[in-house]
Amino acid sequence: MTFDALSDILVVEVGSGVAPAYCGRLLADQGARVLLVEPPEGSPLRREGPFPGDIPHAEKSGLFLYLMAGKESITLNLHTATGRALFLRLLERADVLVEDVPPGHWERWGLAPLALQRAFPRLVHLSLTWFGHRGPYASYQGCDLVAYAVSGYAYMTGDPDKPPLKAGGRQTEYQAGVNGAVAVLSALLGRNHTGRGQWIDLSAIEATAHTFDGVTVYHMAQRGILPLRNGTRLIQRDPHTAYPSTLLPVKGGWVHAHWSPQNPEALALLAHNPRLADPEVMETPMGHADEIDALLIEGLKDRTPYEVMEQAQELRIPFTVVQDVAQALDDPQNAAMGFFPEVEHPVAGRWRIPASPIHWDDAPNRPGRAPLLGEHNRRVFGQELGLAPEDLVRLRAGGVL
């Protein structure tokens, strides 16, 4: 027997970026029915790679296939009055609207968030934008790199003697998507008690800054010390801070080296060097960071990353392999958890995508496939909204669908 936690929830998703798409993917993974509203030419994410053989194809974008897994696709031109009228009919049936439309656009369409709230009082409406709908930056353009820069996160990332960095991937957008999904679930629970929906204004930059840890805030707010980037090491530089926490080269790769709170002197056993358990070193480990790195590199240089990980874990030291994507796909732990299942797509063929990391005890952990462009037009507009087949032909010819 399977259990979909959100099986009675209809989500309408309107977006061009990763944040709303990831939010929708998280909700779809938990059983919600997610209708992706695409412009007639398709979502911009269909035009982003990677593509098989580097040949662009609207149905083969790796990013789109991953983010839209388990959703339905309809096409609708919201720049037309007819398109907006059909959109309002969709909202009559929807529980949730997820969108990343820039501030001001909804108003120009006559669909201002507060007006939608009055028209659909039970609707949970999530607006995901870079800066939010208020404040002096609300109308600014944004992107993942902007979010890293403005949030202050880039300033804390990288080597101290080199320019600030952003992390790999699009972590700020995924952070916004995660926060968006949590916000939607909270609003749905609240609606059960009040009968009223919410308009949720969520900034990707605030979602990024929300991940600042307490140590960082403490250093700046309580001690007036500006946190500075520290390479792969922990950002705090107090000599008594625990160490190691860094990346080190070993035979044929890299390992993440971390201190063990249960067994700090075990580093000496792992590297076969008693100096690592010397009271002078253990009293001020961060103060001896360069020496600890040198001793570990020398002691581990003839072992592979996997050998180091196995031996360290036996000593209860949390060292791990630094894997590339290919190694992560074949990782035995991921295989045991069923985390990269194969998905069959009618155009893209069979390929592997990350499943949900949430494992229910009574449901398989298998994502659905991404939809074809407009695959569900006939079902939604014909069967559910009652449009005749000739209406669909006319709307398609008129550029509405």
Side-chain angles (χ1 to χ4, degrees):
M1 180 177 178
T2 62
F3 173 65
D4 290 327
L6 303 178
S7 58
D8 60 343
I9 299 298
L10 174 60
V11 179
V12 173
E13 178 185 316
V14 180
S16 59
V18 167
Y22 189 57
C23 176
R25 165 74 197 271
L26 294 175
L27 297 173
D29 282 344
Q30 302 309 309
R33 181 186 176 200
V34 180
L35 285 182
L36 172 64
V37 179
E38 302 189 63
E41 69 274 17
S43 164
L45 295 176
R46 290 183 180 272
R47 295 185 283 279
E48 291 196 33
F51 298 99
D54 290 330
I55 301 172
H57 190 292
E59 304 294 353
K60 296 183 179 180
S61 159
L63 182 64
F64 184 89
L65 292 171
Y66 162 66
L67 288 171
M68 305 307 177
K71 301 179 185 177
E72 300 177 13
S73 167
I74 59 173
T75 54
L76 196 57
N77 187 348
L78 294 176
H79 294 280
T80 67
T82 303
R84 292 193 291 274
L86 289 170
F87 180 69
L88 292 175
R89 291 185 62 187
L90 283 175
L91 293 187
E92 292 175 358
R93 309 161 61 85
D95 297 285
V96 178
L97 169 63
V98 177
E99 47 87 5
D100 65 351
V101 177
H105 281 59
W106 285 115
E107 287 79 358
R108 285 195 285 277
W109 289 341
L111 303 173
L114 294 179
L116 290 178
Q117 200 174 20
R118 286 192 294 271
F120 308 104
R122 287 181 55 80
L123 182 70
V124 173
H125 177 181
L126 171 65
S127 292
L128 282 164
T129 56
W130 292 109
F131 294 94
H133 277 247
R134 294 173 293 168
Y137 299 169
S139 63
Y140 280 17
Q141 296 292 301
C143 66
D144 187 53
L145 185 55
V146 166
Y148 266 107
V150 177
S151 69
Y153 222 98
Y155 202 83
M156 296 190 299
T157 306
D159 293 327
D161 56 346
K162 294 182 179 178
L165 288 177
K166 71 179 286 297
R170 309 178 194 224
Q171 297 306 318
T172 66
E173 296 176 80
Y174 285 103
Q175 280 293 336
V178 169
N179 279 273
V182 172
V184 166
L185 296 177
S186 298
L188 288 172
L189 286 173
R191 191 181 70 171
N192 289 342
H193 296 287
T194 66
R196 187 174 67 85
Q198 290 279 338
W199 175 44
I200 303 164
D201 183 9
L202 198 157
S203 156
I205 290 166
E206 288 186 358
T208 303
H210 195 258
T211 62
F212 285 178
D213 58 44
V215 173
T216 305
V217 174
Y218 170 76
H219 276 282
M220 186 65 235
Q222 303 298 325
R223 300 176 63 189
I225 299 173
L226 184 66
L228 297 175
R229 53 193 175 278
N230 197 20
T232 59
R233 294 176 178 173
L234 291 173
I235 206 163
Q236 54 265 40
R237 289 174 168 78
D238 186 296
H240 295 87
T241 300
Y243 194 82
S245 179
T246 189
L247 304 180
L248 296 176
V250 294
K251 181 181 178 182
W254 293 80
V255 293
H256 169 240
H258 202 281
W259 71 290
S260 168
Q262 295 89 8
N263 195 13
E265 63 277 2
L267 286 177
L269 294 175
L270 180 67
H272 308 311
N273 192 318
R275 172 63 177 166
L276 288 163
D278 190 294
E280 179 194 358
V281 174
M282 296 184 66
E283 178 68 22
T284 53
M286 183 60 84
H288 290 80
D290 291 340
E291 181 184 3
I292 291 174
D293 283 359
L295 295 175
L296 287 173
I297 291 171
E298 175 62 26
L300 304 177
K301 66 181 182 182
D302 296 325
R303 284 173 262 180
T304 68
Y306 291 97
E307 289 172 341
V308 172
M309 180 173 72
E310 291 297 325
Q311 293 165 12
Q313 293 289 341
E314 287 179 1
L315 293 167
R316 311 308 298 161
I317 312 174
F319 280 36
T320 51
V321 178
V322 179
Q323 298 190 121
D324 58 28
V325 173
Q327 290 170 321
L329 281 168
D330 293 332
D331 185 278
Q333 177 64 26
N334 287 330
M337 297 291 282
F339 186 60
F340 287 109
E342 285 192 337
V343 175
E344 183 77 33
H345 188 275
V347 177
R350 295 181 68 83
W351 68 300
R352 298 169 67 189
I353 62 172
S356 170
I358 301 170
H359 300 266
W360 294 86
D361 65 4
D362 65 347
N365 188 19
R366 298 192 66 82
R369 68 166 175 85
L372 303 175
L373 178 60
E375 180 178 352
H376 301 88
N377 278 353
R378 184 171 299 177
R379 171 182 169 182
V380 173
F381 294 117
Q383 298 176 16
E384 299 181 12
L385 296 189
L387 273 63
E390 55 269 27
D391 293 330
L392 300 184
V393 173
R394 177 176 53 80
L395 292 171
R396 192 175 298 113
V400 176
L401 302 185

